[in-house]
């Protein structure tokens, strides 16, 4: 589920972690704080996925490729 032809897809893993975090937070938080929790989890998930997208476009030296 998390793998593609190049190995593990970080975006899929981070998306799943974000979804699970959102579900757990929504069940555990007060109803009056739900909009803030949704926004916080949304921004953290978008930032981590954006970081993996930026990593794709950076120049890599042969030592970085492993």
């Amino acid at each position: 589920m998390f793998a593609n032809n190049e190995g593990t897809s970080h975006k899929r893993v981070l998306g799943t972690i974000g979804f699970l975090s959102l579900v757990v937070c929504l069940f555990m938080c007060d109803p009056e704080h739900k909009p803030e929790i949704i926004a916080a989890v949304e921004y953290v998930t978008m930032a981590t996925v954006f970081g993996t997208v930026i990593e794709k476009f950076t120049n890599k030296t042969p030592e970085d490729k492993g």
Side-chain angles (χ1 to χ4, degrees), residues 31-65:
E32 61 195 39
H33 298 296
K34 285 189 180 185
E36 292 88 7
I37 295 293
I38 292 170
V41 173
E42 175 186 9
Y43 290 133
V44 169
T45 303
M46 285 190 316
T48 55
V49 171
F50 182 71
T52 61
V53 170
I54 292 295
E55 181 183 350
K56 272 268 211 223
F57 294 106
T58 58
N59 292 331
K60 293 184 180 180
T61 61
E63 297 88 37
D64 292 340
K65 292 183 180 179

Side-chain angles (χ1 to χ4, degrees), residues 21-41:
S21 300
L22 180 62
V23 170
V24 169
C25 288
L26 288 176
F27 279 113
M28 295 181 67
C29 74
D30 294 329
E32 61 195 39
H33 298 296
K34 285 189 180 185
E36 292 88 7
I37 295 293
I38 292 170
V41 173

Side-chain angles (χ1 to χ4, degrees), residues 11-12 16 35 56:
K11 289 182 276 307
R12 292 178 188 168
T16 303
K56 272 268 211 223

